Amino acid sequence: MKFERTLIEKIRQAQRIVFFTGAGVSQESGIPTFRDGPNSVWQHFDPEVYATVPGFDKNPTKVWEWYWERRQTFKALKPNAAHHVIAAWQEKIQKVTVITQNIDGFHQRAGSQSVIELHGSLAMDKCRANGHSFKHDGNSVFDEHPSCAECGSLLRPDVVWFGEALPDVAYYQAEMDCSNCDVLICIGCSMDIYPAANLPYTAIASGAYLIQINLNSTNLNEVANCNLRGKAGEIMPALWQAVYEN
Ligand code: OAD
């Protein structure tokens, strides 16, 4: 795989790099993306039912069953080459931040230390009534009405659903990191969901060099300094090799 000289130099010179990731980075681990192709999640599951507060209130058991299945699936799968290469970049560059829209925890499993989860995490639950937050016990058996240890109200997965605000602190930190990076690499994001999709524009406005890695084109194509079309799990190791081993 051949890469432009400028791209290689920009990465070599960078002191602060942000990886901004979406469902495409986990696709080669076996996790379907949300909205591209016949196997995508929202083709088969209605987001109104599974990813909104009214959907949860109407049928919490159904929603819990779905997230339970997702947790079991994630547990059985593994981070792929793209997650591992992103984690390896910590050894090379002074400040590396991963900002992800994914809830699968694969960046942490691959060893990334600074991960901002914009859409929450399946590793956590929170209570529907008061927002008390708890680490999900990965060994627990399915409970169709899990209750909060603090106030007894119903628990829900601690993920961001449609119509909900992103976690304040996470979004603020993500904006800060995007305003203060030299290079932003956007991987496997459809760029359809806001406000997360604003972040690459924040980086560009602050003078960062923007690289996009995606199987398809997105509305970032016009503004990215470099578009690398293909699979993240193939491009990321090749990029690493071109930057450090050539
Ligand atoms: P999408 O499913 O919308 O988009 C996945 C993107 O990854 C697409 O642009 C694909 O072309 C690309 N892609 C797929 N496989 C790839 C691969 N192997 N290598 C590189 N690129 C690949 O997922 P997101 O953009 O993450 O939110 O979706 C954003 C949010 O919408 C999600 O966090 C979720 C969803 O609804 C909530 O549930 C709140």
Side-chain angles (χ1 to χ4, degrees):
M1 213 175 278
K2 277 256 341 119
F3 298 96
E4 279 172 30
R5 199 75 226 152
T6 322
L7 159 71
I8 305 290
E9 287 310 318
K10 287 284 178 188
I11 297 177
R12 282 192 182 142
Q13 288 158 11
Q15 295 188 333
R16 298 156 306 176
I17 188 162
V18 169
F19 293 95
F20 177 60
T21 66
V25 80
S26 295
Q27 185 267 334
E28 288 155 87
S29 292
I31 302 181
T33 57
F34 288 98
R35 52 180 68 71
D36 66 310
N39 291 327
S40 57
V41 173
W42 300 144
Q43 290 282 327
H44 296 277
F45 299 95
D46 182 354
E48 292 288 335
V49 173
Y50 295 100
T52 63
V53 172
F56 179 73
D57 286 346
K58 197 162 166 198
N59 197 340
T61 303
K62 186 174 185 155
V63 175
W64 263 122
E65 269 168 358
W66 192 64
Y67 282 98
W68 176 262
E69 296 255 316
R70 281 175 79 67
R71 274 194 177 116
Q72 302 308 104
T73 306
F74 293 176
K75 246 202 299 195
L77 299 174
K78 292 196 191 85
N80 64 52
H83 299 102
H84 288 296
V85 170
I86 291 171
W89 240 293
Q90 290 164 159
E91 306 299 320
K92 297 285 187 186
I93 288 183
Q94 204 178 327
K95 182 166 167 45
V96 175
T97 306
V98 180
I99 302 173
T100 189
Q101 297 164 85
N102 299 342
I103 58 174
D104 55 32
F106 279 18
H107 287 299
Q108 293 92 328
R109 279 174 61 186
S112 284
Q113 281 161 14
S114 175
V115 182
I116 298 175
E117 294 174 309
L118 288 179
H119 290 167
S121 164
L122 264 191
M124 302 296 292
D125 296 332
K126 71 176 177 187
C127 83
R128 166 74 182 90
N130 298 307
H132 298 126
S133 155
F134 302 92
K135 192 159 168 36
H136 183 83
D137 175 1
N139 297 318
S140 60
V141 290
F142 179 68
D143 180 351
E144 60 182 37
H145 248 251
S147 60
C148 174
E150 294 267 328
C151 66
S153 70
L154 184 61
L155 286 178
R156 55 165 277 187
D158 194 356
V159 298
V160 175
W161 285 330
F162 291 103
E164 294 191 294
L166 301 195
D168 284 351
V169 175
Y171 194 68
Y172 175 77
Q173 192 56 55
E175 277 194 313
M176 288 293 115
D177 285 318
C178 287
S179 325
N180 289 296
C181 67
D182 304 307
V183 172
L184 184 140
I185 307 185
C186 178
I187 308 172
C189 303
S190 60
M191 300 300 297
D192 280 343
I193 297 297
Y194 290 86
N198 284 321
L199 290 168
Y201 294 93
T202 303
I204 300 172
S206 308
Y209 187 83
L210 178 67
I211 301 163
Q212 174 171 236
I213 298 175
N214 200 304
L215 268 184
N216 299 300
S217 65
T218 74
N219 58 24
L220 264 195
N221 276 62
E222 295 291 305
V223 293
N225 297 96
C226 179
N227 287 293
L228 303 173
R229 191 88 172 251
K231 291 185 173 182
E234 293 171 4
I235 294 177
M236 288 299 286
L239 185 59
W240 173 275
Q241 214 173 16
V243 173
Y244 299 115
E245 294 170 14
N246 276 337

